[in-house]
Amino acid sequence: MPSQSVLEQKKAIVAELTERLKNSVTGLVVSYKGINTEDDTKLRKELREAGVNYFVEKNSMLRFAVKNVGLDGLTDVLEGTTAIAVTDGDETAPARILGKFAEEAKEKFNLKAGFIGEEIYDEKGVTALSKIPSRETLLAQLLGSLQAPMQNLAATLQALVDKKNEEEAA
């Protein structure tokens, strides 16, 4: 039976994980079996730059933490080599970055499941989330689609003015 100090350490780990999950708007669980150190370092750097906290923790500790925050649907995927990426910023950042990495790494790195708020997504759902552009890209696309009709109107009006000026000059 584990000593009292070991149990206290484990309780502290679970409490910290629970707090991280509570403060996160989104999270993604992945299997990282087979990736090398160089690739892992690049991945961690990219995630860090995007404001995503990526870490490896024992599945048993994660199981307690996800139950504490009401994300019980994630317990089924907490097997084998497991890492988790959480953020309190851009909801799609972990899925986008890890999804791209999973496509490049093929069999070595797999998306398992994820959550946004209290909504749990399976592997297919997380893969679909990984295809969503960033917030900035979506805003730029929206702005472009709003500007297009105004630009067309301005070009049409300019063409009318040019035509009228040609007629007056002739």
Side-chain angles (χ1 to χ4, degrees), residues 10 17 56-63:
K10 289 182 178 185
L17 287 171
V56 175
E57 188 55 68
K58 288 185 176 182
N59 288 325
S60 58
M61 299 295 141
L62 282 172
R63 237 179 243 109

Side-chain angles (χ1 to χ4, degrees), residues 45-78:
K45 181 179 185 281
E46 187 175 353
L47 288 165
R48 208 174 19 258
E49 289 171 354
V52 177
N53 188 356
Y54 176 79
F55 57 95
V56 175
E57 188 55 68
K58 288 185 176 182
N59 288 325
S60 58
M61 299 295 141
L62 282 172
R63 237 179 243 109
F64 284 117
V66 296
K67 284 182 181 179
N68 288 344
V69 294
L71 298 170
D72 295 355
L74 293 176
T75 57
D76 296 342
V77 298
L78 298 177

Side-chain angles (χ1 to χ4, degrees), residues 1-14 58 61:
M1 182 160 182
S3 70
Q4 189 63 28
S5 64
V6 171
L7 286 176
E8 292 302 319
Q9 288 174 345
K10 289 182 178 185
K11 285 181 183 179
I13 290 169
V14 170
K58 288 185 176 182
M61 299 295 141

Side-chain angles (χ1 to χ4, degrees), residues 133-147:
S134 69
R135 182 175 188 270
E136 292 77 22
T137 304
L138 289 173
L139 287 173
Q141 290 173 348
L142 175 63
L143 184 60
S145 65
L146 292 174
Q147 283 181 332

Side-chain angles (χ1 to χ4, degrees), residues 75-93:
T75 57
D76 296 342
V77 298
L78 298 177
E79 296 176 355
T81 54
T82 302
I84 186 165
V86 294
T87 186
D88 59 357
D90 182 0
E91 289 93 348
T92 61

